[in-house]
Amino acid sequence: MMYSPDRSRTDETAAVNCSAFERGPAARNANVAAHACSGDSLPKALLRDVLVMFLAVSAALIVWSSTSHGQEAGGRQIHPDILKDPARIQRTIRSFSLTKADEISKYTDRDRQMMENYFAAYVPAVLTKKSELTSINATVAHLNDLLTRMWRPNPLPAGGNEVKRWIYGALSPIAKGDFQTPGRINAILCLSRLPRNPATDGGYVRPEPVILRDLLPIYEDDKNPEGVRAAALAGLERFVRLTPKSGIDAKTQGKILDAVEALLNAAPPAGRDPMAHAFMQRYAVDIVTQLSVDKAMSQKLLVLSSKDDRPDLIALYLMGAAGTMPGKIELGNVKVDDLLQQWGTRAMGSLDAEIARLEAYEPDTSPVSQPADPRSFVTVRSSAPSGRPGMGEEMSEGMGERMAPDESSMEDGEGGFGEMGSYGEMGGFGVPGASARVEQPPEIIASRKKLSYLCQQLLLAATGQAKPVDELDPLENPGGLMAAVPADQSKKLNLFVTLVSDFANGVNEGTEASRRDYLLTLQTQRDLLSAHVEGKSNDEDAGIRKWDDAFGSPTAPAAADAPPVTPDPAAAFTGPSN
């Protein structure tokens, strides 16, 4: 027997349901729950009402999510006029930041409320909400513009001081809070530019001391994202660089040095790219050279620079920092010969990498299809009669005879250009002895910059000077290794400095117009450096012999001419052999 529902019971239930919806949502919810517990099916009217309520709630959620930037995390409402035209209130804030105390009264209470609301609600909303990522750049650019104006060496006006307080109040909670990484990074970088009033520092613009209190804990917390910690480290380096050492208490200096020295000695942690780690270590090097009073710090930097597992990004930076630190380098257990050997090996590796990179360039040899020159389809008729040459033709012939240089005189370097000779012999722009620079392709220019930086850092470590050394005896104000190594033990160091200086000068001549010519220059310098790396540089003439073997000595006597060979007349007519 099939189950047949009780129609009268169903109608009675429907009537109860309708009265329940009329009474309110509580009664409706109770009725729905009763039906769910009893196992009875809901009537169609009730289902329709529930569906309408669901759609209404969904629509409300969609509208709320699309306008969520109107709310801050703390519930602060953004003024509708700011949402409508942020650029307008930004202009008002820019003008207010330059306003003196006796002129602030021209801004109404509404203006001040709008400016406060911009920093208290709009800026945090843009930096912390994922839906506003595309608005971060414009907002941060406005903040940086305000901060740039504050860094001028003039006392901050009353408006500027108030804007500075608004900026700090908006950005500090974001920098220290658990918000999205892009917003925190931008907040930290802007905070690091917050200036102290120059009137309190004798006219000098210094970073605001409160920055250190905020940024140091952010960097020390290894649970923060890598980008956030890197931004905090960059802010610390900027603060240390622009603040006198006396402006940082000894306890804080010790905490900073402990943190950055641990970074210098540490290997890249899991999840951090080695090159990103090396770049962060460069900030640590700058902080150490500013704060450290350890006399052995330059020795530590030299030891770190000599490790093979260090990429050039940090190893070369360590070399330059060690050579420019104040005071004489304490060598201690550092063996100068081993150090120079490692530096030469690193220079050879960088040079080999550049040669391999340039050799990997494959020029495009595919033919390029070009349309025919339209002038080739036009026949030009002479206006002069065919019986006699025209005036232009006659003049051109005569001028050609009178103006053409004598080929024999050109071969002798005379004629054509007068007795001055060719342009190349005169050098660049007529300067005797100067090589004429030529326009070089981008890959050569990039290579020269990279190799020049390599030579600069090597010379800083060896001599304390970034420029090539022409005369070693005497070297004015020597630094680096040259100031630490006794004169009677500096033979190999002097040769190393000479090789690197010649390398720098050779790379920067700028006379190679093609990649092939530039590669020949690099190969020449490589041959000279290989003498040092292979241990042949114990003899000062080793590099010269290497040069002579490859290219011939310009002072060597010319080879004797071979005796003339008398041709055999019969051999000239000898037929092919069978």
Side-chain angles (χ1 to χ4, degrees):
M1 180 177 178
M2 297 181 62
Y3 172 76
S4 176
D6 187 353
R7 297 291 182 183
S8 60
R9 186 171 181 272
T10 303
D11 294 340
E12 179 182 356
T13 303
V16 173
N17 288 336
C18 291
S19 62
F21 268 89
E22 291 174 358
R23 289 195 301 268
R28 290 197 296 269
N29 294 337
N31 192 43
V32 171
H35 273 284
C37 295
S38 64
D40 295 337
S41 60
L42 294 176
K44 293 183 179 179
L46 180 59
L47 290 174
R48 183 176 62 252
D49 291 337
V50 171
L51 180 61
V52 170
M53 289 180 61
F54 174 75
L55 293 176
V57 172
S58 300
L61 289 174
I62 293 173
V63 173
W64 176 81
S65 62
S66 64
T67 59
S68 60
H69 59 274
Q71 294 287 338
E72 191 205 356
R76 185 72 179 267
Q77 184 76 24
I78 300 178
H79 197 284
D81 290 348
I82 298 178
L83 295 176
K84 183 179 179 180
D85 189 6
R88 182 176 181 180
I89 187 63
Q90 288 174 357
R91 291 192 295 269
T92 303
I93 294 171
R94 187 180 298 112
S95 175
F96 181 79
S97 67
L98 303 175
T99 304
K100 298 180 180 180
D102 56 352
E103 299 176 351
I104 284 184
S105 59
K106 69 180 182 180
Y107 291 90
T108 63
D109 292 340
R110 184 181 181 278
D111 292 334
R112 295 178 63 88
Q113 292 174 1
M114 291 276 289
M115 290 186 287
E116 291 177 1
N117 186 263
Y118 175 85
F119 288 104
Y122 180 79
V123 172
V126 169
L127 294 181
T128 59
K129 294 183 181 298
K130 293 182 178 179
S131 59
E132 299 294 334
L133 284 174
T134 56
S135 303
I136 287 182
N137 287 343
T139 304
V140 171
H142 171 246
L143 295 176
N144 280 325
D145 178 64
L146 295 173
L147 293 169
T148 301
R149 293 168 183 267
M150 294 179 186
W151 272 91
R152 294 172 181 172
N154 298 311
L156 282 178
N161 276 317
E162 195 157 358
V163 170
K164 187 178 74 171
R165 289 193 295 270
W166 288 338
I167 292 177
Y168 179 78
L171 298 183
S172 180
I174 299 173
K176 296 183 290 187
D178 186 16
F179 298 102
Q180 61 178 349
T181 301
R184 294 187 67 187
I185 292 175
N186 280 282
I188 290 171
L189 294 178
C190 286
L191 277 178
S192 66
R193 301 188 62 211
L194 207 63
R196 190 177 179 182
N197 196 331
T200 62
D201 285 315
Y204 295 98
V205 186
R206 309 292 187 191
E208 187 65 48
V210 73
I211 298 172
L212 204 57
R213 185 186 63 195
D214 289 353
L215 299 190
L216 185 56
I218 294 174
Y219 172 73
E220 291 177 330
D221 187 0
D222 56 4
K223 295 180 181 179
N224 282 323
E226 290 290 302
V228 171
R229 296 189 68 199
L233 182 63
L236 288 174
E237 186 277 328
R238 189 177 192 275
F239 183 90
V240 170
R241 173 165 41 89
L242 299 178
T243 303
K245 198 172 179 181
S246 58
I248 308 174
D249 61 272
K251 183 178 179 180
T252 304
Q253 288 186 30
K255 293 179 65 176
I256 296 174
L257 284 174
D258 290 343
V260 297
E261 286 185 25
L263 174 63
L264 277 178
N265 295 315
R272 182 184 296 174
D273 185 86
M275 298 303 290
H277 185 69
F279 193 80
M280 292 178 66
Q281 287 178 322
R282 289 167 64 113
Y283 287 117
V285 171
D286 291 337
I287 294 174
V288 164
T289 54
Q290 293 286 335
L291 293 182
S292 180
V293 294
D294 186 0
K295 294 182 179 180
M297 181 54 64
S298 55
Q299 175 190 345
K300 295 178 182 178
L301 298 181
L302 288 177
V303 172
L304 290 174
S305 71
S306 63
K307 293 187 176 182
D308 295 332
D309 59 344
R310 301 274 174 164
D312 287 353
L313 184 63
I314 181 62
L316 297 178
Y317 205 71
L318 287 165
M319 294 178 194
T324 54
M325 284 196 70
K328 185 178 178 181
I329 296 179
E330 299 290 341
L331 292 177
N333 297 326
V334 176
K335 295 182 179 180
V336 176
D337 289 355
D338 295 343
L339 193 63
L340 296 177
Q341 180 75 15
Q342 199 282 335
W343 289 353
T345 302
R346 183 177 293 277
M348 283 285 296
S350 299
L351 187 54
D352 287 341
E354 277 302 293
I355 292 175
R357 184 184 69 85
L358 293 172
E359 287 179 343
Y361 275 85
E362 292 292 340
D364 186 8
T365 58
S366 59
V368 180
S369 178
Q370 295 287 349
D373 188 351
R375 291 174 296 185
S376 63
F377 299 98
V378 179
T379 302
V380 180
R381 296 181 179 180
S382 175
S383 60
S386 58
R388 53 179 294 190
M391 180 178 178
E393 298 176 18
E394 184 177 12
M395 181 177 292
S396 63
E397 290 178 3
M399 290 292 291
E401 294 175 357
R402 292 192 295 270
M403 295 288 292
D406 185 13
E407 294 182 0
S408 61
S409 63
M410 287 290 288
E411 293 177 358
D412 296 334
E414 301 174 358
F417 296 96
E419 296 183 359
M420 292 191 302
S422 64
Y423 178 79
E425 294 176 357
M426 285 295 297
F429 298 96
V431 180
S435 58
R437 288 182 174 268
V438 297
E439 184 175 357
Q440 295 178 321
E443 62 268 21
I444 294 181
I445 296 175
S447 177
R448 287 175 54 200
K449 289 181 178 180
K450 180 177 181 179
L451 295 177
S452 295
Y453 176 75
L454 168 69
C455 296
Q456 175 189 15
Q457 299 304 102
L458 290 172
L459 290 172
L460 279 174
T463 67
Q465 302 177 11
K467 60 183 180 180
V469 178
D470 296 328
E471 295 292 337
L472 283 172
D473 190 20
L475 181 64
E476 295 183 2
N477 301 321
L481 288 180
M482 192 156 288
V485 176
D488 57 346
Q489 301 177 15
S490 60
K491 180 179 179 181
K492 193 168 185 177
L493 177 59
N494 292 340
L495 177 60
F496 179 80
V497 172
T498 301
L499 289 173
V500 176
S501 298
D502 292 343
F503 181 20
N505 291 329
V507 167
N508 285 305
E509 282 185 357
T511 57
E512 303 88 356
S514 66
R515 189 165 53 249
R516 180 182 178 186
D517 294 340
Y518 181 70
L519 279 170
L520 291 175
T521 299
L522 295 188
Q523 190 61 49
T524 301
Q525 301 301 329
R526 187 194 183 283
D527 292 338
L528 296 175
L529 281 177
S530 66
H532 167 78
V533 175
E534 295 170 2
K536 298 178 181 179
S537 57
N538 291 327
D539 185 355
E540 293 183 358
D541 296 332
I544 299 176
R545 290 204 308 272
K546 193 79 175 181
W547 179 287
D548 295 344
D549 293 341
F551 304 97
S553 173
T555 59
D561 294 336
V565 178
T566 304
D568 185 3
F573 298 96
T574 302
S577 60
N578 295 328

